[in-house]
Amino acid sequence: MQEKDMVNDILSMVNSSLTGYANVIAQSSEQNLRQTLQQIRNSDEQFQYQLYKVAEQKGYYQPAEPASPQEIQQVKSIFTR
């Protein structure tokens, strides 16, 4: 397996985990469990971002073009009704 494939695979797995953490956190009523899961999620988010930056620098990942201010405002208006 090539390094690029491994990096992209790990990014995909971490992204999936982050979605899972969000679901579990939203359903957790026990405060200590909730805080522990939030700390794990935060750590994974930091790891994901660091790996993303490495992938971007090596050309393994090409992000989408930045959204224009108009596009940002349009999305913002959808979620702030």
Side-chain angles (χ1 to χ4, degrees):
M1 186 180 251
Q2 299 289 325
E3 182 183 61
K4 176 182 178 178
D5 298 324
M6 289 188 283
V7 168
N8 285 324
D9 197 35
I10 293 168
L11 281 172
S12 179
M13 288 188 299
V14 173
N15 287 338
S16 253
S17 295
L18 293 173
T19 301
Y21 287 131
N23 290 329
V24 173
I25 290 166
Q27 297 174 30
S28 297
S29 60
E30 207 286 312
Q31 191 60 33
N32 287 328
L33 174 60
R34 189 178 180 93
Q35 287 178 335
T36 299
L37 291 168
Q38 287 171 330
Q39 290 171 350
I40 294 168
R41 181 209 52 208
N42 292 346
S43 176
D44 280 3
E45 284 177 342
Q46 298 243 334
F47 171 74
Q48 185 274 347
Y49 185 69
Q50 291 169 348
L51 187 57
Y52 156 76
K53 294 306 278 180
V54 169
E56 184 181 39
Q57 289 170 355
K58 291 187 170 211
Y60 297 165
Y61 181 84
Q62 294 292 10
E65 290 293 319
S68 70
Q70 182 182 13
E71 291 168 321
I72 293 170
Q73 189 57 43
Q74 183 180 11
V75 170
K76 201 175 184 181
S77 70
I78 292 170
F79 291 104
T80 57
R81 291 184 179 180

